[in-house]
Amino acid sequence: MWDDRRWALFKRNLQPTLTLWSAFCSFGLCMAFLGPTLLDLRCQTHSSLQQITWVFFAQNFCVLVGTIIGGAFKKTFSCSLGALFISTLLISAVFSIIPFCNNVIILAFVLAVAGLAMGCIDTIANLQLVRIYQKDSPVFLQLPVPIAVLFLMCKQGVGFCCGKKSALLLPAEELPPDLQMDRLSPGQERTLRAKEPDGIIDCLKGLHLQEAPCTFFVVHIIGAVVLFMTDGILGEYSGFVYTYAVEKPHLMEPRVAGYLSSLFWASITLGRLASIPMSGKLKPVTMVFINLGGIIGTFVLMLCFPVSVICLYVGTGLLGFFLSSTFPSMLAYTEDILNYQGCATTVLVTGAGVGEFALQMLVGSIIQSPETDIFLVCGLTFGCLALLFYLVLLLVHRLHSHQRMAEPSKAGTIEESKFSFQS
């Protein structure tokens, strides 16, 4: 995995990479805390389970809005860094306010603010990592979660340099071309900024969409749908596994059930660590296929033994392990199909955000159904749909590759005919 070329690339981009990874500390903390504290927050706000579920909706809907807003701060690394600093500061403020929220509407508003910050972090950090490392991005996209956990375990404070401009950026010759703004004259910088896309709309405008094949759009859509399902599974399972465990048929003690959430996020961290060497040997397309198969198999296992506490613990660990690298592998695979043009990152992050809040709301509204296994059935259904759409994506990838191969030959034929006509 860490050959000389990748190690040299990592050292050249050490400061921006560590900064982007550290931003995921706040993101992961805000993502993980809500599920285990859901019933406590319900008591604190004197609300029902259906009412407190709207807190999930408020947070995750604003995560979606934040992913779109985050695209406006991607123009330069210094601009992205400022947005990451503000986002992490907002999340810190939110955690200090939550204990004083005695009304579910106020709690939803506070967590909605955190959701906006989370969305900005998700878009900016992933997009900048893809830009810096290009085809090597699968390895470096796997590392933020383990790095975040290590930082939290060691209780290290992560600071952002906001003083001199040179402290924010690496030497210009060590940065990728799209980050070398300081080397340009004012006139050149204005020209480049005028041409550079600000968000997903301008990004798509800059790709000459009238000349793009239909498969270009289909790859974006299907990739977003796959992450809609997989991130939806992650959101609904992390949010409601505690509630599922303390209700029938398990009726687990709250203290024991709380370990399920810890196990789930620990297995996600372990899965990311394991996927780091694997991503250096396996292609992202293979890793996504393994992950989706593992997700479906895990839900089948838990449905076969619905009242077994041991099976619930084993299934929770396996599910977190297989979900852990699905998003970064899918992101790397889709960007690889589209030659790392950048727009896919925003579309996929948006699709994942929609899946988290939509499927959480769906499961939250039916989790207390008389059918005790509805929680697991929903997860299995979403996993099967994700695999189905992924198989369609593989087919579309082949069609897209054939179209790209046909374009140069077609252009050559046109040039030859022009030459013959002029002769």
Side-chain angles (χ1 to χ4, degrees), residues 225-226 229-230 233 292 381-391:
V225 171
V226 173
M229 298 296 172
T230 56
I233 293 173
L292 294 178
T381 303
F382 301 149
C384 291
L385 288 174
L387 180 60
L388 176 63
F389 280 104
Y390 184 65
L391 294 176

Side-chain angles (χ1 to χ4, degrees), residues 31-44:
M31 177 73 71
F33 99 98
L34 195 53
T37 60
L38 183 64
L39 298 182
D40 292 329
L41 290 174
R42 184 184 68 175
C43 295
Q44 178 180 309

Side-chain angles (χ1 to χ4, degrees), residues 208-231:
H208 307 289
L209 296 185
Q210 65 275 13
E211 301 174 5
C214 62
T215 52
F216 173 85
F217 304 98
V218 177
V219 168
H220 282 83
I221 294 171
I222 299 180
V225 171
V226 173
L227 288 181
F228 175 92
M229 298 296 172
T230 56
D231 265 49

Side-chain angles (χ1 to χ4, degrees), residues 28 37 236 302 355 402:
T37 60
E236 60 99 359
M302 288 191 288
H402 289 320

